[in-house]
Amino acid sequence: MTKPRPTRPLVSSLVALVASVALAPPVVAQQKPACNDDEARIVGVIVDADTEAPLEGAHASVEASYWGSLTTDNGRFLLCGIGAGIHTVTVERLGYENLETRIEANSSGEPVALHMRPDPVLLEGLEIVSDRFERRRRAVATSVRAFDQEAIASSGFWSAADFVDMRAGVITTPCGISRCVYYRGRMVNPTVYLDEFRLIGGWSELETIPSSMLYMVEVYRRGTHIRAYTHHFMKRAATIRLAPMMIWD
């Protein structure tokens, strides 16, 4: 798991997003690569309360630490650097009720099973909206790759740009103070959207977005057009049954 790097100041176009992101849960860095042998830790396994299936991509955190943890495909999370004692652990995953519980941190590493209750109305809304996004992708006469929250969470990349660069088959190269995409024999400044707002800084702004914020990423035309969506946006979209905007460029 890569460690977070310092975030550069967001450029002006992100100001328009402050109101929508402000209501989202605070974003913390993903988990440390490992705990020291004698270090107090909390190890947990998150499962669906109805099906007992492990939940990947759930975010676990404690107030005592800057670090958080995204669950792996077996639902497991690891929290280090939190100090010994009892901590309030908060777990969040879109489509489920937030979970808050008290767990004692110690060096034994014994896993604790935690059950998250699904929110049927929100899950139904997510399914409807996800189908609408998929129909939009099919309607575009170009290549499209889409990545869900599980793929993003399991990647280990800190920024959205790192994820797109390494997982979506996008070939980037330095281009001024940013990066361009090599497409059909020429260099192209990628068009980047976050929650349907165009980011004027393009790739440079994509580098400032933590992957832990993201629910979905769409990559069009081998990276010349990128659309990223936060958990907060998708929760709102599922609530109102959003119909996504058409793509013209």
Side-chain angles (χ1 to χ4, degrees):
M1 187 69 72
T2 55
K3 288 187 178 181
R5 57 194 179 195
T7 302
R8 292 177 292 180
L10 299 181
V11 295
S12 57
S13 60
L14 279 184
V15 175
L17 299 179
V18 171
S20 62
V21 176
L23 298 178
V27 177
V28 299
Q30 296 180 27
Q31 71 181 52
K32 294 172 64 176
C35 300
N36 298 326
D37 290 342
D38 58 350
E39 185 178 3
R41 72 199 71 183
I42 294 176
V43 182
V45 177
I46 307 298
V47 300
D48 184 296
D50 292 343
T51 67
E52 296 290 329
L55 294 177
E56 181 179 4
H59 184 266
S61 63
V62 297
E63 291 183 357
S65 173
Y66 172 73
W67 297 96
S69 178
L70 292 170
T71 55
T72 59
D73 56 0
N74 61 3
R76 185 179 181 274
F77 71 85
L78 171 66
L79 295 171
C80 302
I82 57 178
I86 298 176
H87 299 273
T88 298
V89 177
T90 301
V91 185
E92 299 164 288
R93 190 183 192 276
L94 194 54
Y96 288 78
E97 298 176 4
N98 289 351
L99 174 66
E100 190 173 284
T101 186
R102 301 275 287 173
I103 302 176
E104 183 175 5
N106 54 58
S107 59
S108 69
E110 288 295 324
V112 178
L114 301 176
H115 295 72
M116 297 193 77
R117 295 189 177 278
D119 183 330
V121 175
L122 189 55
L123 285 174
E124 180 185 10
L126 281 171
E127 183 176 354
I128 291 171
V129 173
S130 296
D131 286 345
R132 290 174 178 173
F133 274 103
E134 184 177 355
R135 288 199 297 271
R136 184 180 71 173
R137 292 192 291 268
R138 291 199 301 263
V140 176
T142 187
S143 61
V144 186
R145 296 191 68 185
F147 301 89
D148 60 17
Q149 62 177 344
E150 283 78 15
I152 298 169
S154 63
S155 71
F157 296 110
W158 183 83
S159 77
D162 288 340
F163 176 84
V164 172
D165 199 11
M166 302 300 294
R167 288 292 304 274
V170 176
I171 301 175
T172 65
T173 188
C175 180
I177 62 172
S178 184
R179 298 188 72 84
C180 289
V181 175
Y182 191 73
Y183 181 69
R184 293 185 176 179
R186 62 192 181 93
M187 305 310 300
V188 179
N189 280 305
T191 303
V192 180
Y193 284 78
L194 177 64
D195 293 348
E196 304 288 45
F197 287 89
R198 183 169 180 174
L199 304 183
I200 303 304
W203 188 270
S204 294
E205 294 196 53
L206 197 65
E207 291 179 324
T208 70
I209 301 170
S211 62
S212 57
M213 284 183 64
L214 299 181
Y215 180 87
M216 178 176 66
V217 175
E218 298 177 334
V219 180
Y220 295 78
R221 294 190 298 274
R222 298 189 178 182
T224 61
H225 186 113
I226 301 165
R227 304 182 89 93
Y229 298 91
T230 64
H231 292 274
H232 175 68
F233 176 88
M234 292 301 294
K235 180 177 182 179
R236 183 159 46 88
T239 302
I240 65 174
R241 305 298 200 266
L242 174 78
M245 297 187 300
M246 296 298 294
I247 297 177
W248 303 106
D249 57 350

